[in-house]
């Protein structure tokens, strides 16, 4: 019995030694002739092919990692792990490879988690909080040690998102969907008011600015411009009042003057008669003698202007004769004429 036991121990040790030798000789080249290949060499060649495939995937993973392509690197790491997870692979050599692969994957996950958090912060800074929280969740799954950091980050993102939603809901566009159309109309009315103001059409400028008040009662620019327009209208009104008073004064001077009747006089001798040249009595010569000052009319009808010139021509004529401006137009046609500005 002892001899049998010793024989079995020797056979067991020899088999173990053969397996270990096969594991350590995984990089040994196979025999040139497959028919002459022993079982041990066949196992070594099979393992060599597995290790070559795993190393190729690891190289791809490192290359993609260096380029920042974490998705491709992770796929290569997973492929290498799948190759080395073959249950037929046993022994210290394969366990060493698996251990090394696990360490590299752990370092890769840490780097991937840091990159995801960096992207999450960038998305949050751009106001895309949903994308930022999703990236932060992925970072926590790659590195559980970031759980507290990710939790605080997500809470901050939710708070900022609530504030963003509040600003959006309380914006002018949300409160007044027609705000853009109103703004466009206000700009149009401002352009009209400025053109009328530059042309001296203050009444039209006032109308355009008052329409802005109906749309936006708190428009400060319209209020300032409307104040300037009102000042211009006051000045024009005062000038018109002075012109009307002057016209009435001149008219009263000639209307209420007492007539002077000729008295009979006796002349002792012949009286020399002074005959004026017909040229001096012509309307053209008389108009040359009459010089009008600069007169401005604002919103005056045609007959008012005619009466003004008739009255002023008599007062400005050195001989107090003046000129008479008449018109043959009917009253309906006169009313249809545009007012003098």
């Amino acid at each position: 019995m002892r001899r049998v036991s010793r024989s079995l121990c020797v056979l067991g040790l020899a088999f173990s030694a053969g397996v270990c030798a096969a594991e350590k000789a995984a990089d040994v080249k196979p025999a040139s002739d497959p028919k002459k290949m022993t079982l041990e060499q066949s196992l070594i060649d099979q393992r060599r092919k597995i290790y070559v495939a795993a190393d190729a995937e690891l190289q791809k993973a490192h290359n993609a990692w260096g380029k920042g392509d974490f998705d491709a690197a992770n796929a290569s790491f997973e492929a290498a792990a799948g190759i080395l997870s073959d249950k037929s692979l046993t022994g210290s050599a394969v366990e060493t490879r698996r251990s090394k692969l696990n360490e590299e994957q752990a370092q890769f996950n840490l780097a991937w988690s840091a990159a995801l958090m960096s992207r999450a912060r960038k998305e949050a800074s751009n106001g895309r909080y949903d994308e930022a929280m999703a990236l932060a969740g992925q970072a926590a799954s790659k590195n559980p040690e970031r759980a507290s950091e990710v939790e605080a980050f997500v809470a901050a993102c939710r708070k900022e998102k609530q504030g963003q939603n509040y600003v959006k809901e309380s914006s002018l566009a949300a409160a007044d969907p027609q705000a853009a159309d109103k703004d466009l109309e206000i700009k149009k009315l401002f352009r009209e008011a400025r053109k009328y103001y530059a042309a001296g059409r203050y009444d039209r400028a006032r109308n355009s600015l008052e329409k802005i008040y109906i749309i936006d009662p708190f428009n400060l620019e319209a209020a300032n411009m409307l104040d300037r327009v009102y000042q211009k209208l006051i000045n024009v009104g005062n000038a018109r009042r002075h012109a009307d008073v002057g016209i009435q004064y001149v008219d009263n001077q000639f209307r209420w003057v007492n007539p002077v009747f000729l008295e009979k006089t006796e002349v002792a001798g012949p009286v020399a008669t002074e005959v004026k040249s017909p040229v001096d009595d012509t309307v053209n010569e008389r108009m040359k003698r009459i010089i009008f000052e600069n007169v401005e009319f604002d919103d005056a009808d045609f007959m008012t202007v005619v009466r003004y010139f008739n009255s002023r021509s008599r007062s400005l004529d050195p001989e107090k004769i003046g000129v008479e401006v008449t018109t043959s137009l009917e009253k309906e046609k006169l009313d249809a004429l545009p007012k003098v500005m």
Side-chain angles (χ1 to χ4, degrees):
M1 291 296 293
R2 290 181 180 179
R3 290 179 181 179
V4 174
S5 299
R6 288 177 182 177
S7 299
L8 291 174
C9 288
V10 171
L11 290 174
L13 291 173
F15 178 76
S16 298
V19 173
C20 291
E23 292 178 352
K24 293 179 180 180
D27 296 330
V28 178
K29 294 182 179 180
S32 58
D33 188 0
K35 295 180 180 180
K36 298 180 180 181
M37 188 181 298
T38 62
L39 177 60
E40 180 180 347
Q41 288 176 336
S42 178
L43 293 173
I44 291 173
D45 185 64
Q46 184 180 359
R47 288 200 175 193
R48 184 189 65 80
K49 292 180 180 179
I50 293 175
Y51 291 156
V52 168
D55 291 341
E57 292 295 337
L58 286 174
Q59 186 62 41
K60 290 181 182 179
H62 286 293
N63 292 338
W65 187 357
K67 295 177 182 178
D69 190 354
F70 291 95
D71 291 328
N74 182 64
S76 295
F77 274 120
E78 294 294 335
I83 293 172
L84 294 178
S85 65
D86 189 352
K87 296 181 180 180
S88 63
L89 298 175
T90 57
S92 59
V94 71
E95 292 298 332
T96 301
R97 285 178 174 271
R98 290 170 180 169
S99 177
K100 184 179 179 181
L101 176 60
N102 291 334
E103 291 178 1
E104 291 186 2
Q105 279 188 300
Q107 294 177 1
F108 168 74
N109 287 331
L110 292 177
W112 196 4
S113 177
L116 288 170
M117 280 303 300
S118 178
R119 288 176 54 192
R121 292 189 179 92
K122 185 176 181 180
E123 293 291 336
S125 65
N126 293 329
R128 295 189 287 266
Y129 299 107
D130 291 332
E131 293 82 352
M133 288 186 287
L135 290 171
Q138 295 178 20
S141 65
K142 302 301 177 184
N143 183 11
E145 294 181 359
R146 288 183 175 269
S148 58
E149 177 188 356
V150 169
E151 184 178 355
F153 177 79
V154 170
C157 286
R158 287 174 179 170
K159 186 175 180 180
E160 291 294 332
K161 184 180 178 181
Q162 290 177 355
Q164 188 182 60
N165 293 336
Y166 176 78
V167 172
K168 187 182 296 183
E169 292 172 358
S170 60
S171 64
L172 180 61
D176 186 4
Q178 298 178 351
D181 296 336
K182 291 181 179 178
D183 185 63
L184 184 63
E185 181 66 19
I186 287 174
K187 290 180 180 179
K188 176 184 174 183
L189 292 171
F190 263 124
R191 287 196 299 269
E192 292 180 357
R194 292 189 184 98
K195 289 182 179 179
Y196 285 134
Y197 185 87
R201 304 295 297 273
Y202 305 117
D203 55 337
R204 298 289 182 86
R206 176 198 60 199
N207 295 339
S208 297
L209 292 171
E210 288 179 349
K211 289 178 181 178
I212 295 176
Y213 262 128
I214 297 175
I215 300 173
D216 183 9
F218 304 100
N219 194 299
L220 184 59
E221 185 178 0
N224 294 333
M225 189 172 181
L226 193 59
D227 180 68
R228 296 197 301 271
V229 171
Y230 284 154
Q231 291 297 327
K232 290 289 185 180
L233 289 173
I234 290 173
N235 295 337
V236 172
N238 289 333
R240 181 176 178 179
R241 181 178 64 83
H242 288 303
D244 289 343
V245 171
I247 292 173
Q248 190 66 38
Y249 176 75
V250 172
D251 186 68
N252 290 339
Q253 280 185 327
F254 285 91
R255 187 181 298 276
W256 297 102
V257 66
N258 293 324
V260 178
F261 300 98
L262 293 175
E263 296 180 0
K264 186 177 180 180
T265 58
E266 295 181 357
V267 181
V271 179
T273 304
E274 181 182 359
V275 180
K276 294 183 178 180
S277 175
V279 178
D280 295 335
D281 293 337
T282 61
V283 175
N284 289 335
E285 292 296 329
R286 207 178 310 147
M287 291 181 67
K288 290 180 180 178
R289 297 194 302 267
I290 301 173
I291 300 175
F292 282 87
E293 67 277 11
N294 185 23
V295 180
E296 294 183 1
F297 295 96
D298 179 59
D299 199 17
D301 58 69
F302 184 77
M303 290 306 301
T304 299
V305 177
V306 170
R307 287 195 296 271
Y308 174 78
F309 278 115
N310 289 340
S311 300
R312 292 294 291 165
S313 68
R314 290 195 296 271
S315 62
L316 295 175
D317 187 1
E319 297 183 359
K320 301 301 180 181
I321 297 175
V323 293
E324 186 73 19
V325 179
T326 61
T327 177
S328 60
L329 296 177
E330 299 177 357
K331 184 178 183 304
E332 291 76 8
K333 294 183 180 180
L334 289 175
D335 293 339
L337 291 175
K339 295 185 179 180
V340 181
M341 301 300 295

